[in-house]
Amino acid sequence: MKNNKFPKDFLWGGATAANQCEGGYNEYGRGLANVDVIPYGEDRFSVMNGTMRMLDFDDKYYYPAKEGIDMFHRFKEDIALFAEMGFKVYRMSIGWSRIFPKGDEDKANEEGLKFYENIFKECKKYGIEPLVTITHFDCPIHLIKQYGGWKNRKLIGFYENLCKVLFTRYKGLVKHWITFNEINMILHLPFMGAGLLVDEGENFEKAQYQAIHHELVASAIATKLAHEIDPNNKVGCMIAAGTTYPNTCNPNDFWKAYKNDREGYFFIDVQARGYYPNYALKEMERKGITPKMEEGDKGLLKKHTVDFISLSYYNSQLTSADSEISKQTEGNVFPTLRNPYLEASEWGWQIDPLGFRITLNNLYDRYQKPLFVAENGLGAQDVIDENGNINDDYRISYLDEHIKAMRDAINIDGVEVIGYTTWGCIDLVSASTGEMKKRYGFIYVDKDNEGNGTLKRYKKKSFYWYKDVIKTNGENLK
Ligand code: BG6
């Protein structure tokens, strides 16, 4: 294979998540979820990390997920645009509370099931393969209020019911599944990532690792069910990835960077290898936070490992063991020092295509399982000029550099990458900031941060560029 080629059946496409684009939060009997009640504005971060408790709407705030970009009503138009770009795959997620409004019912909501069935059929019409994330940060509010969310073992059973319904109903329509989006996000934004809240006096880390254990077991059960219901199913885990560099060659800096990466790898170690790694067991024991495990858990984890590993990659990270230096760390989701060798996006996310290649290599070296890049992209402000054009050359250049880095990982390093879906292929609500102006799409959506706009869709310059990338299977990239 020449160095500029991609595998023949490479899955090119784009990615979205229900809570950031669907809207229709109360349509067809849908129930409320944690992701609905995260407001736009200065309190957003406190709600996302659970320091401010919000389990319902408050008139004082604007909630961007309520309407999203109204894909609920416009999915046909949007999928037609994805098809025009030549998508082979469309990554999307299920709104759990659309299928089980409260989460603990015995019977699924037929209207919710029908809604996704229509989406999958629409994809099929164009030969687009859906890649479905079962939960992309969402958890029904009722499960949080009634059971305390994922720290309660009962959640495993409710998630299992959801999976059973999904795998049975969509057999033949969906083949690729991801169990939890960015499962490691529970460490950084526990309420947004997993609906996790702790009660006063409760040991936070203990609750966190108990919830993590439940998610890991739930993920193994989902993998088991998916394979039993349809042997064609392929199930993946998903990590928010991005390698960490040490600030200097001081071994203490290296060790800190190493441990920082291992915090995220821990999840994949369990999901891909099938057991808790010793370093994690030791640390949990030291801290007194070893989760309660039931008989049978170990066997499930061991037997039902994932078929592929998916990841999001936006940037690398930089860390220092020197507490004076690490004070400079900026307040993004993943705290990182400023890397003087890299440029950054308007939101301070440092742009590092080689870091992408390194990350892919690290993951493949560690697990030797196929990788799927489920998210990558640049959040930027776009402007419509007087002729109605959006010349997003900065986005083209970001994606071009990253796709070439992935190409090197595949051709030069021999990493097995089976697909690539850019994040927010259509503009949608930002997960971290709740903004609309932090745009990732090839398709512009007329809506602003406060919710004003016609919701009309416009093709950006990158739309035509990506269409060509897919058509030529990446061969025109220099
Ligand atoms: C990932 C999430 O963390 O990054 C997405 O899976 C999110 O949901 C994406 O939108 C980009 O982050 P942001 O904060 O710019 O929307």
Side-chain angles (χ1 to χ4, degrees):
M1 192 156 74
K2 278 220 257 134
N3 280 352
N4 69 342
K5 294 225 168 158
F6 281 88
K8 190 164 76 36
D9 301 317
F10 194 72
L11 291 167
W12 296 99
T16 63
N19 73 86
Q20 291 168 258
C21 67
E22 261 178 26
Y25 78 101
N26 58 0
E27 303 254 11
Y28 292 169
R30 182 182 176 282
L32 267 196
N34 58 336
V35 284
D36 299 324
V37 297
I38 301 178
Y40 172 62
E42 57 179 25
D43 290 330
R44 187 175 178 88
F45 260 95
S46 315
V47 175
M48 290 196 294
N49 68 23
T51 48
M52 181 172 167
R53 201 170 266 253
M54 198 172 283
L55 290 172
D56 210 338
F57 296 123
D58 178 332
D59 290 347
K60 199 160 102 194
Y61 297 101
Y62 164 61
Y63 295 91
K66 273 186 168 180
E67 186 190 46
I69 55 159
D70 194 32
M71 210 189 240
F72 182 80
H73 294 107
R74 295 163 195 255
F75 69 86
K76 289 197 174 166
E77 177 189 350
D78 295 338
I79 292 172
L81 288 165
F82 301 157
E84 194 182 327
M85 277 187 276
F87 278 20
K88 313 272 183 231
V89 61
Y90 168 43
R91 175 180 177 230
M92 47 157 298
S93 79
I94 298 284
W96 186 345
S97 61
R98 215 180 268 296
I99 309 291
F100 287 100
K102 287 162 75 185
D104 59 357
E105 300 90 335
D106 292 329
K107 207 170 162 318
N109 172 22
E110 175 55 31
E111 284 181 301
L113 284 170
K114 192 82 200 141
F115 170 69
Y116 291 111
E117 186 178 322
N118 290 339
I119 292 189
F120 300 144
K121 287 192 169 153
E122 201 62 19
C123 287
K124 199 170 184 160
K125 192 166 114 187
Y126 297 106
I128 299 174
E129 178 108 31
L131 164 61
V132 178
T133 315
I134 297 166
T135 47
H136 191 117
F137 298 152
D138 60 326
C139 181
I141 283 284
H142 173 76
L143 296 185
I144 301 171
K145 284 188 179 164
Q146 183 73 22
Y147 304 93
W150 275 102
K151 63 188 176 186
N152 187 326
R153 189 160 177 112
K154 287 209 167 109
L155 269 274
I156 300 179
F158 301 138
Y159 182 86
E160 183 177 351
N161 286 347
L162 171 71
C163 291
K164 219 178 276 167
V165 166
L166 298 179
F167 301 151
T168 310
R169 176 66 173 249
Y170 304 129
K171 186 173 172 176
L173 283 172
V174 180
K175 196 169 82 183
H176 287 95
W177 303 90
I178 293 174
T179 53
F180 290 90
N181 179 63
E182 295 186 337
I183 191 164
N184 52 326
M185 198 54 87
I186 190 173
L187 297 175
H188 307 278
L189 298 172
F191 181 69
M192 182 183 82
L196 181 68
L197 291 173
V198 286
D199 301 320
E200 237 182 88
E202 201 178 351
N203 178 331
F204 179 73
E205 259 194 306
K206 200 170 166 62
Q208 209 170 25
Y209 276 87
Q210 190 61 58
I212 289 169
H213 179 68
H214 294 152
E215 289 196 344
L216 292 170
V217 172
S219 176
I221 292 177
T223 311
K224 170 177 182 278
L225 278 175
H227 292 152
E228 279 168 6
I229 293 173
D230 184 351
N232 289 319
N233 276 330
K234 297 274 178 233
V235 184
C237 54
M238 156 86 172
I239 176 181
T243 201
T244 312
Y245 302 130
N247 194 39
T248 69
C249 53
N250 181 334
N252 288 319
D253 282 351
F254 180 85
W255 183 230
K256 185 154 182 232
Y258 186 91
K259 286 202 292 188
N260 194 53
D261 280 347
R262 216 164 50 174
E263 240 180 44
Y265 290 149
F266 155 70
F267 295 82
I268 314 299
D269 285 353
V270 180
Q271 290 173 295
R273 293 169 167 169
Y275 55 92
Y276 274 64
N278 283 350
Y279 66 83
L281 290 172
K282 290 269 183 202
E283 179 155 8
M284 292 189 297
E285 198 184 301
R286 262 194 315 275
K287 290 181 166 170
I289 56 167
T290 305
K292 249 195 241 142
M293 305 192 189
E294 281 191 5
E295 225 191 297
D297 288 358
K298 275 193 183 159
L300 279 168
L301 295 174
K302 182 80 203 155
K303 196 149 176 227
H304 304 288
T305 54
V306 289
D307 301 307
F308 65 93
I309 291 158
S310 68
L311 64 139
S312 61
Y313 176 86
Y314 293 92
N315 45 251
S316 54
Q317 297 171 57
L318 179 69
T319 195
S320 167
D322 180 333
S323 55
E324 273 314 299
I325 294 176
S326 58
K327 267 192 209 149
Q328 304 158 16
T329 297
E330 289 166 22
N332 248 310
V333 178
F334 291 100
T336 176
L337 294 170
R338 198 59 202 91
N339 186 330
Y341 297 98
L342 301 176
E343 296 198 343
S345 79
E346 294 164 85
W347 277 265
W349 293 24
Q350 305 185 64
I351 301 171
D352 184 8
L354 182 55
F356 184 28
R357 179 172 167 189
I358 296 168
T359 302
L360 291 171
N361 271 276
N362 278 341
L363 284 167
Y364 195 63
D365 285 355
R366 200 171 173 108
Y367 304 111
Q368 298 286 297
K369 292 208 179 201
L371 305 182
F372 195 113
V373 180
E375 290 183 29
N376 173 235
L378 177 74
Q381 298 193 56
D382 294 323
V383 182
I384 307 191
D385 71 15
E386 62 282 5
N387 305 314
N389 297 324
I390 300 141
N391 293 313
D392 55 341
D393 292 299
Y394 37 89
R395 181 167 297 108
I396 295 175
S397 125
Y398 176 100
L399 292 173
D400 174 83
E401 292 296 320
H402 283 77
I403 292 174
K404 285 193 295 207
M406 171 172 69
R407 186 178 71 184
D408 289 346
I410 296 172
N411 290 319
I412 303 175
D413 311 325
V415 175
E416 193 183 349
V417 185
I418 54 176
Y420 174 81
T421 50
T422 64
W423 175 248
C425 46
I426 179 166
D427 292 347
L428 37 65
V429 176
S430 156
S432 57
T433 67
E435 291 168 303
M436 268 306 297
K437 74 170 185 195
K438 191 180 187 194
R439 297 173 184 276
Y440 286 87
F442 302 117
I443 301 159
Y444 183 93
V445 176
D446 178 27
K447 186 170 177 180
D448 68 15
N449 286 353
E450 285 73 35
N452 310 302
T454 60
L455 292 165
K456 191 169 164 357
R457 278 61 169 150
Y458 299 84
K459 297 171 198 169
K460 303 181 193 175
K461 187 173 175 184
S462 56
F463 181 99
Y464 302 99
W465 171 83
Y466 196 48
K467 183 178 176 176
D468 186 64
V469 171
I470 298 178
K471 196 167 144 211
T472 57
N473 201 22
E475 276 178 40
N476 283 357
L477 299 167
K478 296 282 168 290

